[in-house]
Amino acid sequence: ILQDWDSSHRTGGMLLLLWLISMVSLPITFWTMGDDAIPAGVNISAVIQASAVLLLLKADWGWRRTLYTLGLVAVVTWGAEFVGSSTGFPFGEYSYTERLQPQIGHVPLLIPFAWFMMLPPAWAIAQAITRPKRHSLRHKLAFIGISAVALTAWDLFLDPQMVGWGFWEWAHPVGYFGIP
């Protein structure tokens, strides 16, 4: 299979494998090196996965569309996180701790890249479920809805871990694992 891929697909595939290895090694790093190693491990894993997604999108879309999408996602998600952590709207009152660095406006730079790295998998899930035969309004709405559900599922899995590792804190920890 790899010989049929161009260099961006091959490199992206290798980065996905490296990401998988980094994710498997994260608990081992925690057990052997302690809690202080977690931020670096999370940052490294996320940068590897975001790089893999970037290259795989580039292979299918080209650089122009890929970089436009990355820029748009980065600006919109950083803005949403900045507004959310500053005002409590729309997610509830929370704040990022100093554990994830660097930060701009008290939002870790990693966060927009995390959103970027998870959007294409959500889109792929939505694409597989909706199996478009034509691009009708109904299909587009289903695609958007399923993408949102997939991203929400990722967030429901991720948020308790990130709170547990002290990356962000909720002002009123209630509900789902202390997350409103």
Side-chain angles (χ1 to χ4, degrees):
I1 293 173
L2 286 178
Q3 69 190 34
D4 294 334
W5 283 7
D6 65 16
S7 64
S8 292
H9 279 112
R10 280 193 301 276
T11 305
M14 287 183 214
L15 283 170
L16 283 178
L17 180 60
L18 183 59
W19 167 74
L20 180 62
I21 292 167
S22 75
M23 292 304 295
V24 169
S25 68
L26 195 55
I28 297 166
T29 303
F30 172 69
W31 296 329
T32 59
M33 300 177 70
D35 192 51
D36 290 339
I38 293 297
V42 167
N43 275 307
I44 290 166
S45 293
V47 167
I48 292 169
Q49 186 181 3
S51 298
V53 167
L54 184 77
L55 285 175
L56 292 170
L57 283 180
K58 178 263 175 195
D60 289 342
W61 291 356
W63 278 119
R64 184 181 176 130
R65 182 176 174 195
T66 300
L67 292 176
Y68 173 79
T69 302
L70 171 61
L72 182 63
V73 168
V75 168
V76 168
T77 58
W78 180 88
E81 295 290 344
F82 177 76
V83 168
S85 63
S86 298
T87 68
F89 177 80
F91 312 115
E93 292 182 61
Y94 70 101
S95 60
Y96 288 100
T97 67
E98 297 299 315
R99 290 201 78 194
L100 286 179
Q101 294 293 329
Q103 296 183 3
I104 295 178
H106 301 291
V107 176
L109 287 181
L110 180 68
I111 301 303
F113 290 99
W115 283 105
F116 172 75
M117 71 186 195
M118 290 311 299
L119 273 171
W123 296 333
I125 289 167
Q127 185 84 20
I129 291 171
T130 59
R131 298 199 183 267
K133 292 191 173 40
R134 59 183 186 277
H135 294 293
S136 66
L137 178 59
R138 181 176 168 188
H139 168 262
K140 289 177 184 178
L141 292 175
F143 179 85
I144 291 168
I146 293 169
S147 295
V149 168
L151 274 172
T152 301
W154 167 65
D155 209 36
L156 289 172
F157 166 77
L158 187 68
D159 247 21
Q161 290 178 20
M162 299 297 110
V163 170
W165 286 335
F167 293 152
W168 56 82
E169 300 168 333
W170 292 93
H172 308 287
V174 297
Y176 179 77
F177 293 96
I179 301 161

